[in-house]
Amino acid sequence: RRAARRGEQAAGTYLLTAVLMHTGPSASSGHYTARIRDPYGDGQRGDGPRSAGRWWSCNDECVSEEGWGEPSGAARQSGVTLLRRSAAGGGRLFASKTAYMLQYTRRSELDEARAAGPPQAPQAVLSALREANAALRARARQYDDDVAAVEAKVRSRDEYLAALSPLLQAASPAARSLPDARWVPASWLRSSLALLREAEVGPVPNGEIRCEHGKADPAKLGEMRLVSPAAWRRMVERFGGGPELDTAGCAVCVRAALRTRRTADRTAQLKDALGQALSSPPSEEEEAFLVPKAFRAKWAKWRNEGVADATGELRCKHGGWLVDGARCISAAAWSHTEALFPDSTPLPRESTSACAACSAERRSLLEGAKGNAALRAAQRQQLGRLLAEEELPAEVLSAGSPLYLLDAAWVQEWRRFLLAKTQTQLHPGPPSSAGLRCEAHGCVEVRPGHTHARWRPSRGASAAERAVSERLATRCCLATAAEVEVLCGALAAGAPPEELELVSLTAGGDDPPTLAPGTLLCTGCCEAAEAKERAALADFEDAEVHLTLRTEPAGAAKSRDEAVAAGEAAAAASAAGLSTGRPRRVCRNGPRSVVKVGSGTTLNSLKLLIYQATEATPSQQRLVFDGLDFTDRDAETTVGALGIVPASTIEVFVDKSQPDGLAEALERQVEQTGTKRGAPEGGFLGSALLGAGLPVM
């Protein structure tokens, strides 16, 4: 019976197998650790201490064996104290204030686990664990080595500072009396005391404070410090470098520095004296010398720039002197000037004469300037039309008189000559048409019909064709025979030069002019020039397009098909010599606005830009340009394909009764460009501020 009771007691015995410990001010904060018992122990059985197995401490990723086997009071491990090594039942007695949860396991289950042996993990897991443990041990050894290296450097630094501190007393003012002290750069000394790492500090760079004679440079006295010979040896042993620079400075550099200082002081005195002497001009009876007129204002600048000759501006190209461009200074001022500008030539006022050749040229220039003034006055009066850039009047064109074709570049030079306020602008020479000839064939490459609005494309022509003609018109202009005679007669050239192109007009002047017989028009170059201008108009970026807003439709606008058919009919009628009477739409009424577009901007994007400028949504807009009414099927057509060119004017008819349709237009814009649009704030709906959410055009 007693044995049975012992077996029942053994079956109901539990052993402590795990402890959860908490460190912190409350249960909701702090740090948790665990102590877990190894159920397999060391293979011994029974109730003794060794049979309890080892305990492992788990603190985050760190796992280590607990040392709870020390005598009482010998160690306190993580809040656990061993009170009694031997307690009832063969165990030990501990005390802890951080134990949060205790886990017990029935002894019989522990015996069964020990009998079955420890579980075996898969071989792959064991291999991975061995490799991880090996890598961890290697990193731990490397860490220990790094710590040892850092500690060695710290000890070396401490030893170096302890040995160097008493030696740096030579850096005090009293050290200057030591005959064997050494110079070092002050910046390097500060770095060496702060870093003390050879790779970061580098060798002693005494070459920075050494002069060209191999001594300490006196000019860099504020950049270096004195150290004792013992400190110098310590520094060289640790960092290397050099060379040694003793307290005996360079006598040559000292003497040069003294000379430079005395020269600077002397120059400052001369400058002050010259400034005072120039403040009082000489009288007629005093001895005076000639200097340039700007000498008083510029002599200080010339001195700073190293100018040695103050009279150089008075010397002319013939070797003489420009007396007319000189001023007089007193003899005292001249003595200071000679000291500051040693290469100056003395020019006494009484004995210096002007260069005869320069005087003759000056008289000729004055006479020419007077002639130019008279020429300007006469041509301003007789050639006011050309000067004002006005076109020929209708009565001149109706008379059918021959006209001359002039190069617009020459005309602009002539206008600058007439409008110049000074006499320095030169006359451009005889009238010329050279800029209108092609380089390949020497023939005229601009049609005379571009020179006047009367002959340019108007009815039945597109805006691009009119713009091309207007751009070519800027290269040439027409002049009457009387105007050309005035231009040539002013230069004593007599008759108009032969290189001027003569243009023939029929009576009435309605037909475009043609070149006179004997003057060839290069058709190929004309077409090439027109194609070049057409290509420039078809490819543009950020060009301004004008808008005219109208709230009510003014007349019935044609659809695209109707407009194309009307254009073809107008062209056929024009070829047959008939007039279709088709009125051009002219935008003269209503408020105006401007938007910037490119040739690749689609019609839908243009409407969104107009919305930002006018607050009229795309569905409320009807755009009319050059008699054409754009429809929804043109939404993805580009501005260039629609014939819109820079500086064009578009009529915008606004119908507020239509729904805004802004969301649909924005979605089409996103589909065309692939951009993403942020949702606008509700407070901006119906306002032009909604443009902040529009895609970038």
Side-chain angles (χ1 to χ4, degrees):
R1 181 183 295 176
R2 191 178 299 118
R5 283 198 297 270
R6 282 199 300 269
E8 292 175 358
Q9 183 180 6
T13 302
Y14 289 81
L15 297 179
L16 182 65
T17 54
V19 180
L20 180 63
M21 314 191 80
H22 174 264
T23 304
S26 65
S28 60
S29 63
H31 183 63
Y32 289 89
T33 59
R35 271 65 177 175
I36 302 175
R37 179 181 183 179
D38 185 357
Y40 304 101
D42 53 3
Q44 299 182 13
R45 305 180 69 84
D47 296 335
R50 299 299 296 172
S51 65
R54 294 178 295 180
W55 284 81
W56 298 96
S57 174
C58 301
N59 185 359
D60 291 338
E61 70 275 6
C62 298
V63 179
S64 59
E65 186 177 1
E66 277 287 1
W68 287 353
E70 291 81 358
S72 174
R76 295 177 181 268
Q77 303 245 352
S78 303
V80 179
T81 305
L82 179 63
L83 298 179
R84 188 178 301 173
R85 187 176 183 82
S86 177
R92 291 168 291 176
L93 182 62
F94 295 91
S96 175
K97 293 183 180 181
T98 60
Y100 183 73
M101 182 183 296
L102 307 179
Q103 176 179 320
Y104 290 87
T105 306
R106 185 179 295 173
R107 179 188 290 273
S108 59
E109 294 182 3
L110 294 176
D111 294 340
E112 293 175 0
R114 281 197 292 269
Q120 296 295 326
Q123 189 63 33
V125 175
L126 293 176
S127 300
L129 286 174
R130 294 189 191 98
E131 293 177 0
N133 289 336
L136 180 60
R137 295 188 188 95
R139 289 198 298 270
R141 287 192 295 270
Q142 182 63 40
Y143 175 78
D144 293 339
D145 296 341
D146 294 343
V147 170
V150 172
E151 291 176 350
K153 289 183 178 179
V154 171
R155 287 193 299 272
S156 176
R157 178 194 62 189
D158 295 341
E159 294 173 358
Y160 177 77
L161 288 178
L164 192 63
S165 296
L167 300 178
L168 288 179
Q169 296 178 358
S172 62
R176 300 182 183 276
S177 60
L178 297 177
D180 53 352
R182 299 292 183 267
W183 289 107
V184 294
S187 59
W188 179 89
L189 182 61
R190 288 191 295 268
S191 299
S192 65
L193 295 177
L195 299 175
L196 294 173
R197 295 180 183 177
E198 292 80 351
E200 297 180 4
V201 178
V204 182
N206 269 5
E208 299 177 357
I209 58 174
R210 184 178 59 175
C211 70
E212 59 183 359
H213 309 102
K215 301 288 186 178
D217 191 350
K220 299 180 179 180
L221 187 61
E223 303 174 13
M224 48 190 180
R225 296 291 183 269
L226 280 173
V227 297
S228 66
W232 167 259
R233 288 192 295 271
R234 280 274 186 178
M235 293 176 182
V236 173
E237 289 174 2
R238 184 176 181 88
F239 300 103
E244 290 189 54
L245 297 176
D246 54 22
T247 54
C250 180
V252 177
C253 292
V254 170
R255 287 193 291 269
L258 291 176
R259 286 195 300 270
T260 302
R261 180 174 298 180
R262 285 195 290 267
T263 302
D265 295 341
R266 173 62 177 164
T267 301
Q269 295 175 0
L270 289 173
K271 288 181 177 180
D272 294 340
L274 179 58
Q276 295 177 2
L278 290 176
S279 61
S280 56
S283 62
E284 294 294 334
E285 295 78 13
E286 290 185 76
E287 183 183 10
F289 293 83
L290 300 179
V291 293
K293 280 188 176 180
F295 178 75
R296 183 175 179 179
K298 294 185 177 181
W299 70 267
K301 178 183 177 183
W302 292 348
R303 174 64 188 179
N304 294 333
E305 292 176 352
V307 177
D309 186 3
T311 58
E313 291 188 358
L314 295 179
R315 189 176 297 276
C316 70
K317 60 183 178 180
H318 309 102
W321 301 101
L322 301 174
V323 177
D324 295 335
R327 67 178 299 167
C328 295
I329 61 174
S330 63
W334 175 252
S335 64
H336 303 319
T337 302
E338 277 190 310
L340 292 173
F341 303 93
D343 295 342
S344 302
T345 302
L347 300 175
R349 177 172 53 182
E350 294 79 8
S351 60
T352 303
S353 58
C355 174
C358 291
S359 299
E361 291 180 0
R362 183 175 179 82
R363 286 192 298 271
S364 177
L365 288 175
L366 291 175
E367 293 174 359
K370 293 179 181 178
N372 282 340
L375 176 63
R376 287 190 179 97
Q379 291 195 357
R380 287 195 195 101
Q381 182 178 4
Q382 301 178 33
L383 303 175
R385 185 194 67 83
L386 281 177
L387 187 61
E389 303 184 39
E390 298 176 354
E391 292 186 336
L392 287 170
E395 56 270 17
V396 176
L397 300 179
S398 301
S401 303
L403 303 174
Y404 286 94
L405 193 63
L406 300 181
D407 185 2
W410 181 91
V411 176
Q412 289 296 333
E413 290 291 331
W414 171 78
R415 289 190 182 114
R416 279 193 286 270
F417 166 74
L418 285 191
L419 299 176
K421 296 181 179 180
T422 62
Q423 306 295 333
T424 57
Q425 183 71 31
L426 299 179
H427 195 283
S432 172
S433 299
L436 304 178
R437 296 178 177 271
C438 62
E439 298 180 357
H441 313 97
C443 302
V444 177
E445 63 175 356
V446 180
R447 303 182 193 275
H450 296 304
T451 56
H452 199 280
R454 187 170 189 173
W455 303 309
R456 292 179 198 147
S458 57
R459 297 177 180 178
S462 65
E465 293 175 352
R466 295 194 299 272
V468 168
S469 180
E470 291 173 0
R471 289 167 71 100
L472 291 174
T474 59
R475 296 184 53 187
C476 53
C477 68
L478 292 177
T480 63
E483 291 171 337
V484 173
E485 184 178 355
V486 173
L487 291 173
C488 297
L491 298 173
E498 296 181 357
E499 61 266 16
L500 283 184
E501 312 302 342
L502 187 61
V503 178
S504 298
L505 288 176
T506 58
D510 290 331
D511 296 332
T514 59
L515 294 176
T519 304
L520 299 179
L521 180 68
C522 188
T523 307
C525 292
C526 285
E527 294 176 353
E530 293 170 358
K532 182 179 178 181
E533 297 294 341
R534 197 174 293 109
L537 287 172
D539 186 13
F540 56 90
E541 293 290 339
D542 293 332
E544 290 187 351
V545 173
H546 303 277
L547 308 174
T548 297
L549 302 181
R550 296 185 178 182
T551 55
E552 294 293 336
K558 296 180 175 62
S559 66
R560 173 163 295 278
D561 295 336
E562 294 174 346
V564 171
E568 294 176 352
S574 178
L578 302 176
S579 175
T580 60
R582 174 188 173 190
R584 288 188 60 210
R585 188 178 298 276
V586 181
C587 303
R588 295 177 179 172
N589 302 322
R592 294 179 177 271
S593 184
V594 175
V595 295
K596 288 188 176 182
V597 299
S599 57
T601 304
T602 63
L603 183 63
N604 184 63
S605 300
L606 174 60
K607 286 189 173 184
L608 291 175
L609 290 173
I610 295 175
Y611 164 70
Q612 296 182 58
T614 65
E615 299 189 12
T617 60
S619 63
Q620 297 172 347
Q621 303 172 17
R622 185 167 62 87
L623 306 186
V624 178
F625 170 69
D626 204 24
L628 299 180
D629 188 3
F630 300 132
T631 61
D632 290 340
R633 69 176 184 176
D634 301 319
E636 298 184 5
T637 308
T638 62
V639 166
L642 294 174
I644 300 175
V645 296
S648 299
T649 301
I650 301 176
E651 289 178 287
V652 182
F653 295 96
V654 180
D655 186 1
K656 291 291 186 180
S657 64
Q658 297 293 330
D660 59 16
L662 179 61
E664 293 79 3
L666 291 176
E667 291 300 331
R668 285 197 301 270
Q669 175 70 9
V670 170
E671 293 176 359
Q672 293 173 7
T673 61
T675 57
K676 294 184 178 180
R677 175 178 62 88
E681 296 186 17
F684 292 147
L685 291 176
S687 166
L689 293 178
L690 186 61
L694 297 178
V696 179
M697 304 300 177

